[in-house]
Amino acid sequence: MKKLLTTLLAVVMVLALTLTVVACTPAETPDDTDKNNLPIDESIAETALKDIGKGKKLYLTTIGQSDIDVARNLLTACGLTETTTGAQGGFETNALLEASAVEDGAVVFVVVGASTKGLGGAGTDINKETSRANAFATAAGEGKLTIISLHLGKQARRGDLSDGIIEIVEKASAVMLISDDGEGEGGNYDGFMGNIAAENEIPAYCYSKATGMVAPIKYLLGL
Amino acid sequence: MKRTILLALTLVFLLTSVSMAGCTPATDYTDLSVRDFVGKNGIVTAANPYAAKVGLDILQQGGNAFDAAVAVSFAMGVVEPDATGIGGGGLMIAYNVNSKQSMFYNFREFAPANATIDKYQSDYSAQSGKAIAVPTQVAGLLTILEEQGTMSRQEIIAPSVSLARDGVVVTPELAKVILDNFTVLQKSREETMPVFCIDGIEPLAEGDTLVQTDLADVLQNIADYGKEYFYTGEFAQKVVDAIQQAGGYVTMDDMKYALDNYPVKSAALTGSYNGYDILTVGSPSTGGTMLIEMLNMLESYAQTNGKISDLQHNSAEYINLIATVMQLAYGDKEKYMADATQVDVPLQGLTDKQYASDRMEKYTAGQAYLGTASGDTAYGDPWKYQTEQGSVYSDGESGDHYSTTSFSIIDKEGNIVTFTQTINSFFGTGYVPEGTGFFLNNEINDFSTQPDSINAVAPYKQPASYMMPTVVLKDNKPYATLGSPGGSRIPSAVLQVLLNLIEFDMDIQSAISAPRVYCFTTDDGDVSATAKDIYIENALKEMENSLVAMNYNVLLYGDKQYDSYFGGVQGIKVTDNGYHGGADPRRDGKALGY
């Protein structure tokens, strides 16, 4: 009898502990991480992208007037120097660069995503930026320049104002680099950019931190 | 015996399990899914939960509302370094329930002695070194603490030192601000990149930790050595050197002047509205005067047309009414308001009820008022409504800061303290003196650079400001307190929230959360020349057609339903159930209490 009681009490204790654990485990809810359809923090080495920008004149611009300072820091971290000429070993920055002003055969890093404040500060608007985007896309389509698109502002650079220009530029890119850690807050949180990449057969990679883009950019530029 | 022990253990397990099965977590003060709080003993509401917690802790330790307010003020400089800090200044209104006295502490920055108008006629930009005014924040805060507080400087500043040294998790709005203003942060790269940047490349994001070791050291020294540390000696010289290196005009004499002359203490500016008493800030603020003028106009409207609450809240006709009132007051602000210690301001006329009533003749139901586009002047003539006469100047044309922060506190005695403070633009000038961790303001940009303007920059003058921390009384008892950041949208935001409380009987959180509009005076900045520009939040998009029919040019602003462009109001309403603190979801607002 004593043994039975002891066993029963032990069972009750186990049940109680189980109840504790089960009750305190949050219910699983669907999240946006499932929608990210691009590789995250994956090396691009051993791909056909090697050296696509090697020895070419380099420009940095933004369509949407966002995050160009992050891109500048990124290119500097790659060992490049900001110059006024974009000469060998350097890059030329112009937030309002026109496709027509780009030297034939050059590589243009285009930061995509709109900032209301940035647009106002630069004295431009989304319509003018859309025109610039279309001009770059046309030039890329004609083989006059190569676009490496950078989306660095995560969800803050998504939405109605941003998505139109993102699509135009990314569809014309040689490669898309995106800031996204797969936790549902990144630029491709809803698979939008992954779909652009898939539909247009453009290589696209997500990085959880911008510092993760240093090695891929070096690979692209043959540095 | 063994069975008894086992039984007892089982009971303990069962009780523990049952209590844990509910999984009631400890209150998470950083949870922004809930903004408001009702407390019997005290409330702190601020634009950041960490700062609100600092204030709550001080209240629970026995500090009064002033102790908590000064602690929150320092903390806001740590958790919202883009909006405020020891490189800036601010305004405070307080109400003592026992003495029934109000008090206004003015510690807004002032122009240095060498900031003569001729120096701003060329080679001047809004975030240049020339835009740095003399910082007055530390003089203001520590004087308030000495005169009104009960706790020591060390006790009050210690929480901010910890927040800076140990770090705080970056909140959603702060992450957005850092991202949007990353260019400004490049100005003092050596100082800012290790703090606001990851691996020297990208800005801190939501969820990252912001650690400000240099700022922690400076705050600790202020706690240890007082305001003299900031305004005299080696540290002050370092600040002055940094300002002058950036092209600014602040000298050691200016710093000493700030120490000796700030804050400026006076009684609150007062007005009334349908039985409510308004206690707000006077010169150099313009927002308080505007609020009283706008309320006077609405009171006049009600006397002729019936109660404002008879209009449907945020209906097109209601929006037309408050939009007209706004633009009339903004027109007067631009023409007549500036630092009243240096220029003639017709304060008596601007706050005169008959003047407001006469101004309201411009209002037409169902029709936007077009101001200068209809051949009118944008302003009235308040000088006719006051006994003393003075000079009339050109329009004010002041800058328009988007940053700033506001917070309010009520303690268990019922004393109210409310602050609005700023470094002007986001991250001020962007300049950080080496090894100090704080941003220098660009408050000179709130002056006009036109020599004949009422708000023209001049030595020792304070720039006009929209900031307007406000206390409202009913039957001589505290009813509410409100304040907001948002530059020129501050008066319009506070007006709308106050009307939501008084006219539409909303609770404080609903009043703050409700969508807002903004209608400036007619000027060269209007997008439309034939219809009156009005900015509305996307949440009011359904009113667009009705407003267009009234001849408004509707400008939907922001990417989301609500936008911080329309202000970030923090407020408290005194209710039968206790003090109800509300916080604005347009910022990282949070009300805490006990």
Side-chain angles (χ1 to χ4, degrees):
Chain A
M1 183 60 188
K2 194 188 279 183
K3 197 174 175 183
L4 182 65
L5 189 61
T6 306
T7 308
L8 271 172
L9 284 170
V11 168
V12 169
M13 283 170 68
V14 169
L15 279 172
L17 278 170
T18 308
L19 175 65
T20 304
V21 172
V22 169
C24 290
T25 305
E28 281 191 20
T29 52
D31 60 45
D32 290 331
T33 58
D34 300 334
K35 295 179 183 170
N36 192 307
N37 47 9
L38 290 173
I40 294 169
D41 292 332
E42 191 173 281
S43 170
I44 66 167
E46 309 303 323
T47 69
L49 295 166
K50 184 174 172 56
D51 297 345
I52 61 169
K54 187 172 185 177
K56 295 182 177 174
K57 183 163 179 177
L58 304 176
Y59 295 87
L60 169 62
T61 192
T62 163
I63 304 283
Q65 300 304 312
S66 69
D67 310 322
I68 197 164
D69 293 296
V70 181
R72 182 188 279 120
N73 290 342
L74 185 56
L75 296 185
T76 303
C78 292
L80 296 166
T81 310
E82 189 172 13
T83 71
T84 53
T85 61
Q88 189 69 31
F91 64 96
E92 182 183 336
T93 305
N94 181 351
L96 294 169
L97 181 71
E98 294 290 346
S100 57
V102 175
E103 198 172 277
D104 273 2
V107 169
V108 186
F109 287 91
V110 181
V111 186
V112 289
S115 158
T116 308
K117 186 174 184 290
L119 290 167
T124 188
D125 58 42
I126 197 64
N127 294 328
K128 291 176 187 165
E129 290 294 89
T130 303
S131 297
R132 286 179 62 229
N134 282 321
F136 274 103
T138 302
E142 293 169 352
K144 291 180 180 171
L145 54 85
T146 301
I147 295 174
I148 297 175
S149 68
L150 305 170
H151 187 274
L152 303 170
K154 301 182 180 170
Q155 269 204 52
R157 300 289 179 249
R158 286 290 314 281
D160 293 344
L161 201 63
S162 292
D163 287 356
I165 53 176
I166 290 171
E167 186 168 6
I168 295 167
V169 174
E170 289 191 339
K171 280 168 78 171
S173 302
V175 58
M176 299 158 53
L177 304 180
I178 300 152
S179 186
D180 192 325
D181 60 6
E183 297 296 321
E185 302 291 332
N188 189 44
Y189 71 96
D190 56 355
F192 173 70
M193 298 185 198
N195 291 338
I196 293 172
E199 288 165 11
N200 298 279
E201 297 183 357
I202 297 166
Y205 300 88
C206 291
Y207 296 92
S208 48
K209 297 286 180 192
T211 189
M213 296 184 188
V214 171
I217 290 174
K218 283 183 168 180
Y219 182 78
L220 295 169
L221 301 181
L223 297 173
Chain B
M1 180 62 186
K2 260 166 75 178
R3 195 171 66 182
T4 309
I5 292 170
L6 198 57
L7 191 62
L9 276 171
T10 305
L11 279 170
V12 169
F13 268 106
L14 275 171
L15 284 170
T16 308
S17 305
V18 167
S19 65
M20 287 183 70
C23 272
T24 307
T27 305
D28 177 7
Y29 65 87
T30 64
D31 176 11
L32 295 180
S33 66
V34 177
R35 303 283 181 165
D36 61 332
F37 193 94
V38 178
K40 297 277 188 191
N41 298 301
I43 290 284
V44 181
T45 177
N48 182 286
Y50 293 96
K53 181 66 164 57
V54 165
L56 176 62
D57 289 345
I58 293 289
L59 289 180
Q60 290 184 307
Q61 287 163 24
N64 66 18
F66 293 94
D67 293 314
V70 174
V72 171
S73 180
F74 276 111
M76 288 305 303
V78 176
V79 299
E80 266 198 345
D82 56 287
T84 181
I86 55 177
L91 305 171
M92 182 207 84
I93 283 286
Y95 183 73
N96 183 312
V97 284
N98 294 319
S99 66
K100 299 196 182 303
Q101 295 294 310
S102 66
M103 58 190 89
F104 168 27
Y105 277 83
N106 163 13
F107 51 102
R108 180 158 170 78
E109 306 92 316
F110 63 92
N114 291 327
T116 48
I117 188 77
D118 56 294
K119 294 193 171 78
Y120 293 88
Q121 299 307 297
S122 63
D123 189 30
Y124 171 64
S125 64
Q127 285 179 295
S128 65
K130 281 185 177 184
I132 302 170
V134 186
T136 42
Q137 180 89 351
V138 174
L141 296 186
L142 294 188
T143 303
I144 291 166
L145 184 64
E146 288 162 13
E147 294 182 358
Q148 308 294 339
T150 63
M151 294 173 71
S152 72
R153 208 167 57 220
Q154 285 81 1
E155 289 172 309
I156 293 300
I157 299 178
S160 296
V161 173
S162 297
L163 287 173
R165 201 178 300 289
D166 302 338
V168 292
V169 176
V170 175
T171 47
E173 185 64 20
L174 179 58
K176 182 175 181 295
V177 170
I178 294 172
L179 178 69
D180 284 346
N181 296 279
F182 204 52
T183 302
V184 181
L185 291 172
Q186 308 300 313
K187 265 192 182 169
S188 292
R189 280 185 58 86
E190 298 294 315
E191 306 300 318
T192 58
M193 288 301 102
V195 176
F196 294 94
C197 202
I198 301 166
D199 301 322
I201 298 178
E202 64 183 327
L204 291 180
E206 183 184 345
D208 290 335
T209 303
L210 171 65
V211 177
Q212 301 168 88
T213 309
D214 288 345
L215 182 58
D217 291 342
V218 171
L219 291 172
Q220 186 61 61
N221 285 332
I222 292 171
D224 291 342
Y225 305 113
K227 52 195 172 190
E228 287 75 11
Y229 172 80
F230 191 88
Y231 291 101
T232 62
E234 194 180 327
F235 182 82
Q237 189 65 59
K238 180 190 279 191
V239 173
V240 166
D241 288 348
I243 293 171
Q244 294 182 355
Q245 199 172 356
Y249 299 120
V250 178
T251 64
M252 288 296 281
D253 285 346
D254 292 320
M255 296 293 272
K256 183 70 167 50
Y257 187 90
L259 178 66
D260 293 342
N261 293 280
Y262 280 83
V264 180
K265 190 177 165 187
S266 62
L269 177 68
T270 59
S272 65
Y273 175 71
N274 287 342
Y276 294 84
D277 293 308
I278 312 298
L279 311 177
T280 187
V281 286
S283 165
S285 168
T286 63
T289 308
M290 284 182 62
L291 178 68
I292 291 171
E293 185 184 357
M294 291 189 290
L295 290 171
N296 285 344
M297 288 189 231
L298 291 168
E299 200 175 61
S300 164
Y301 164 90
Q303 284 164 3
T304 310
N305 300 282
K307 290 190 295 185
I308 289 168
S309 55
D310 288 345
L311 298 172
Q312 188 185 338
H313 182 252
N314 275 344
S315 62
E317 192 46 61
Y318 175 72
I319 292 172
N320 179 43
L321 172 63
I322 60 172
T324 305
V325 161
M326 283 176 203
Q327 60 167 311
L328 292 170
Y330 280 117
D332 282 342
K333 179 265 167 193
E334 292 284 276
K335 180 70 177 173
Y336 295 112
M337 297 186 215
D339 182 348
T341 64
Q342 295 221 7
V343 290
D344 297 328
V345 175
L347 193 60
Q348 183 190 357
L350 288 165
T351 55
D352 184 85
K353 287 191 184 290
Q354 186 57 49
Y355 174 64
S357 178
D358 292 347
R359 265 317 247 152
M360 273 306 276
E361 290 174 7
K362 306 290 183 188
Y363 165 76
T364 307
Q367 186 66 39
Y369 171 59
L370 295 181
T372 52
S374 65
D376 268 350
T377 56
Y379 47 84
D381 187 359
W383 284 111
K384 286 182 183 170
Y385 298 77
Q386 65 172 53
T387 45
E388 285 184 27
Q389 296 302 298
S391 304
V392 177
Y393 308 80
S394 293
D395 292 11
E397 191 214 325
S398 62
D400 185 39
H401 49 95
Y402 288 73
S403 190
T404 310
T405 198
S406 183
F407 57 88
S408 294
I409 290 155
I410 190 164
D411 63 21
K412 63 184 175 188
E413 305 291 331
N415 301 305
I416 294 178
V417 180
T418 176
F419 275 57
T420 305
Q421 55 189 42
T422 189
I423 53 174
N424 205 12
S425 299
F426 286 113
F427 298 107
T429 53
Y431 287 114
V432 176
E434 184 182 354
T436 66
F438 75 89
F439 290 91
L440 290 161
N441 71 80
N442 66 328
E443 216 63 67
I444 297 291
N445 195 45
D446 269 3
F447 282 115
S448 170
T449 56
Q450 300 300 316
D452 57 349
S453 165
I454 191 171
N455 191 34
V457 61
Y460 299 115
K461 193 175 180 180
Q462 291 183 293
S465 170
Y466 287 104
M467 294 191 294
M468 45 175 299
T470 297
V471 172
V472 183
L473 309 179
K474 178 144 178 72
D475 301 326
N476 286 321
K477 292 176 185 165
Y479 169 77
T481 175
L482 298 168
S484 179
S488 59
R489 278 81 58 203
I490 293 174
S492 62
V494 171
L495 173 72
Q496 287 170 87
V497 175
L498 187 55
L499 292 174
N500 290 346
L501 293 175
I502 292 176
E503 295 291 347
F504 298 100
D505 201 26
M506 292 186 193
D507 65 73
I508 187 73
Q509 190 56 51
S510 302
I512 289 171
S513 297
R516 298 200 275 260
V517 306
Y518 164 64
C519 189
F520 197 66
T521 183
T522 49
D523 64 1
D524 295 339
D526 271 5
V527 174
S528 172
T530 54
K532 181 68 197 91
D533 284 359
I534 187 169
Y535 291 83
I536 68 172
E537 288 190 297
N538 283 304
L540 286 170
K541 191 176 188 325
E542 63 182 20
M543 303 315 303
E544 186 174 7
N545 291 339
S546 302
L547 291 169
V548 168
M550 292 178 170
N551 204 19
Y552 280 101
N553 177 43
V554 176
L555 302 159
L556 290 157
Y557 195 94
D559 299 333
K560 298 178 180 172
Q561 290 290 92
Y562 301 88
D563 196 280
S564 59
Y565 175 80
F566 294 89
V569 179
Q570 318 301 335
I572 303 167
K573 183 179 179 184
V574 179
T575 74
D576 293 340
N577 298 321
Y579 308 133
H580 189 182
D584 206 319
R586 296 167 183 82
R587 300 278 284 256
D588 295 325
K590 183 76 176 177
L592 297 172
Y594 73 115

